[in-house]
Amino acid sequence: MADQYLLAIDNGTQSVRALLFDLNGNLAAKSQIHLQAYFSEHPGWAEHDAEGYWDAVAAACQQLWRSTDIPRSAVQGVAVTTQRGTVVNLDRDGKVLRPAITWLDQRRVGKQKPLSLLWRTAFKLARVEGTIEYFRREAEINWIAEHQPDIWNKTHKYLLLSGFLNYRLCGRHVDSIGSQVAYLPFDYKRHQWAGARDWKWEALKVRADMLPELVAPGTIIGAITAAAAEATGIPQGTPLVAAAADKACEVIGAGSLEPHIACLSYGTTATINTTSKKYVEVTPFIPPYPAAVPGAYSTEVQIFRGYWMVNWFKEQFGHLEQMAGAEQGMAPEAMFDQLVNEVPPGSMGLMLQPYWSPGIRIPGPEAKGAMIGFGDVHTRAHMYRAILEGLAYALREGKERIEKRSGVAVTELRIAGGGSQSDAAMQLTADIFGLPAARAHVYETSGLGAAIAIAAGLGLHKDFETATRAMTRKGRVFHPIAANQKIYDQLYRRVYLNMYKQLQPMYQQIADITGYPEQL
């Protein structure tokens, strides 16, 4: 085992990382190439040069070999995990036809041709017409087909970023079931492309032959080609194994393999996930995503802007801490932790509802963010703590929805993502949930999840369960402080849970008057 390593390529929004793990889940080597998150030619657009993603993957791998003494021959297998919902169009020769549309893109297509009467009636009876229309208008497929028909007509394969990178590495149009999180004709219950009679084929302007072959996580999907070996330095013939999307990989990389262990991801999008063998719609008619474990589901609740709000605060109000950190040789995060610790639990009555982006059903498309309870005692420090508390309240609400729908009580928390590096955020999470909160033993949890897929797929560990137990463990554990927990529980139950239903009518009035957010 000492000379066997697993190469995980993690293509996130902000950077591409090449990560070498051993079979005990230790991070042995790492390289990172930073990315411009996106460029925008029009308001609301968010695109990225698809070839730029591949170039960054190649550069990260080459940088990795220069930074370690581990021989390339020790790499047993490779897997890719990527940001979700970023799409790439390829022609018959495998050439990129247009910039990738990233998951941050907010463009919408115009009103679509009505679905057949049968489906319209069914959706009306189920009261999900708005959700279906939202799906059709958000789908990048429909926008490209309507606004760039010449490109759409040349499109031979329509791939997620994961499928594009897999193609560049092994020359095959194959992607993992665990990566299918996008506006695609995918059957989330059966983990396959939708059946021929499914409404999604009518709702989306895409043909089945334009989509890749799907395989379960842990499947060997090919081998590194000569061209990919030259670009990346990965030895030709190294097995390429299917992993899953970054959030799904993060869940198993944090050790959340059973439904009673929830994984909180404090990333750009904040999420709470559990892994379940049971199909559970936490929000009715919104399916669970595929997990990074074959045949399993990820019962996810999202706070779309999540820890983006923390960065928003730092950019808008945190210049003093950033300058002080630079002067004292301290990371800005350490300075912001000091801000949090200056303020008592509950932020002296300042409460935040973190709906900085509208939702589909919970919250609805009219939703806006809110901060209430201001008084003359409040400072930037109170605002910052209120943001962290509001995100934790929202994720606790998500936990309770998951518990209600699944029938399984969450008894443990694993925390991943950038926000997990803040001791203050970890402690208030434990206090608000009333549960022990364990930091993952390595920061690169999504990469570790991809490495677990390699280990299980190549038989280096017996199966996913064995690999996860061998390669993950708790880092520092934060336990609830009883006095803080009592304050938070009252604020959550008596105030936070009532905020949205009390403010929702006013959000709708704001949308009606201002036209923002745009209503379907």
Side-chain angles (χ1 to χ4, degrees):
M1 290 176 62
D3 60 351
Q4 294 179 314
Y5 292 89
L6 315 168
L7 174 58
I9 296 171
D10 186 350
N11 191 156
T13 305
Q14 305 291 339
S15 70
V16 173
R17 297 178 297 286
L19 309 159
L20 277 182
F21 291 93
D22 66 20
L23 291 181
N24 293 316
N26 298 309
L27 181 60
K30 170 182 175 177
S31 67
Q32 184 172 21
I33 300 295
H34 291 280
L35 298 170
Q36 177 187 358
Y38 63 88
F39 66 84
S40 182
E41 293 185 352
H42 299 279
W45 290 22
E47 299 184 332
H48 198 285
D49 176 23
E51 291 291 351
Y53 283 133
W54 170 245
D55 291 343
V57 166
C61 289
Q62 294 288 4
Q63 185 184 95
L64 180 71
W65 311 129
R66 293 192 298 269
S67 68
T68 181
D69 294 330
I70 296 171
R72 304 178 199 190
S73 59
V75 176
Q76 304 300 298
V78 186
V80 166
T81 181
T82 70
Q83 57 185 274
R84 306 185 299 193
T86 292
V87 296
V88 180
N89 297 64
L90 300 182
D91 68 11
R92 288 190 175 277
D93 297 321
K95 294 180 180 178
V96 173
L97 289 168
R98 68 175 319 285
I101 300 179
T102 78
W103 68 276
L104 290 162
D105 194 275
Q106 296 178 30
R107 78 188 76 187
R108 285 178 174 175
V109 73
K111 192 167 182 63
Q112 299 290 284
K113 177 183 175 182
L115 296 175
S116 62
L117 179 61
L118 175 65
W119 286 116
R120 293 204 312 272
T121 303
F123 293 141
K124 186 173 183 179
L125 289 172
R127 298 181 179 179
V128 293
E129 313 103 297
T131 301
I132 302 304
E133 186 64 16
Y134 181 93
F135 175 90
R136 299 181 73 194
R137 292 184 65 184
E138 289 286 328
E140 298 86 0
I141 289 170
N142 291 342
W143 189 93
I144 298 169
E146 180 175 314
H147 293 273
Q148 298 177 333
D150 54 332
I151 288 174
W152 192 245
N153 291 334
K154 293 176 185 175
T155 298
H156 175 61
K157 291 295 179 184
Y158 183 79
L159 306 172
L160 293 178
L161 177 58
S162 51
F164 171 65
L165 296 182
N166 286 338
Y167 170 68
R168 284 298 172 89
L169 287 166
C170 78
R172 297 185 62 212
H173 293 302
V174 183
D175 202 5
S176 174
I177 287 167
S179 295
Q180 304 313 301
V181 180
Y183 297 104
L184 292 168
F186 181 70
D187 185 331
Y188 285 90
K189 188 170 187 177
R190 295 175 178 81
H191 286 173
Q192 61 189 25
W193 293 126
R197 296 183 180 179
D198 194 289
W199 63 271
K200 297 183 188 75
W201 295 108
E202 189 180 336
L204 300 171
K205 298 181 176 74
V206 67
R207 303 186 311 273
D209 62 90
M210 298 169 72
L211 300 171
E213 175 188 349
L214 295 181
V215 297
T219 303
I220 299 173
I221 62 177
I224 301 301
T225 65
E230 182 178 358
T232 64
I234 305 169
Q236 183 178 351
T238 303
L240 179 66
V241 179
D246 55 5
K247 289 289 184 185
C249 282
E250 193 172 56
V251 174
I252 64 168
S256 298
L257 197 61
E258 300 169 63
H260 72 278
I261 304 174
C263 176
L264 273 62
S265 174
Y266 281 150
T268 305
T269 295
T271 58
I272 180 167
N273 279 282
T274 63
T275 303
S276 174
K277 293 289 185 180
K278 179 182 175 184
Y279 179 87
V280 175
E281 294 180 351
V282 178
T283 303
F285 302 106
I286 304 295
Y289 294 142
V293 179
Y297 304 94
S298 196
T299 53
E300 178 174 306
V301 174
Q302 298 182 12
I303 309 301
F304 184 68
R305 286 292 178 177
Y307 259 66
W308 171 93
M309 293 173 58
V310 173
N311 291 328
W312 168 82
F313 176 87
K314 291 175 181 178
E315 291 173 2
Q316 301 299 322
F317 306 105
H319 301 100
L320 290 176
E321 284 68 34
Q322 295 191 54
M323 287 190 296
E327 290 174 0
Q328 298 176 34
M330 295 176 62
E333 287 72 19
M335 303 301 296
F336 283 102
D337 262 13
Q338 289 182 13
L339 263 190
V340 175
N341 292 328
E342 291 173 5
V343 175
S347 301
M348 299 182 74
L350 201 58
M351 297 285 291
L352 176 116
Q353 181 182 267
Y355 298 154
W356 255 237
S357 288
I360 304 174
R361 291 175 65 82
I362 302 176
E366 82 297 326
K368 287 182 173 291
M371 191 175 283
I372 64 171
F374 275 106
D376 60 1
V377 298
H378 292 123
T379 66
R380 292 176 310 111
H382 295 83
M383 288 181 64
Y384 186 64
R385 186 175 184 109
I387 289 172
L388 298 181
E389 291 173 342
L391 289 169
Y393 288 140
L395 292 173
R396 175 176 166 177
E397 184 179 17
K399 175 190 81 81
E400 293 175 358
R401 285 167 50 202
I402 291 171
E403 290 173 325
K404 182 178 180 180
R405 299 286 293 185
S406 69
V408 178
V410 170
T411 59
E412 298 181 50
L413 303 178
R414 302 282 191 275
I415 317 296
S420 68
Q421 302 310 293
S422 163
D423 287 356
M426 290 292 298
Q427 185 60 58
L428 69 82
T429 299
D431 294 340
I432 286 174
F433 277 76
L435 292 171
R439 184 179 283 146
H441 84 276
V442 295
Y443 174 69
E444 299 290 354
T445 43
S446 53
L448 179 55
I452 289 169
I454 302 170
L458 297 180
L460 301 171
H461 285 298
K462 180 182 175 182
D463 50 30
F464 271 83
E465 181 176 353
T466 305
T468 302
R469 296 194 188 287
M471 297 173 68
T472 68
R473 49 200 168 273
K474 297 177 184 178
R476 181 179 171 186
V477 180
F478 293 77
H479 295 277
I481 297 170
N484 297 352
Q485 183 182 343
K486 182 177 179 180
I487 292 170
Y488 281 132
D489 195 60
Q490 292 185 70
L491 287 171
Y492 172 74
R493 295 188 181 282
R494 295 166 58 183
V495 182
Y496 183 82
L497 289 180
N498 292 311
M499 284 179 70
Y500 179 58
K501 62 184 178 184
Q502 294 287 341
L503 294 170
Q504 184 182 28
M506 286 180 279
Y507 291 155
Q508 187 63 59
Q509 292 296 326
I510 292 170
D512 291 344
I513 295 166
T514 66
Y516 179 81
E518 179 187 356
Q519 302 297 291
L520 292 176

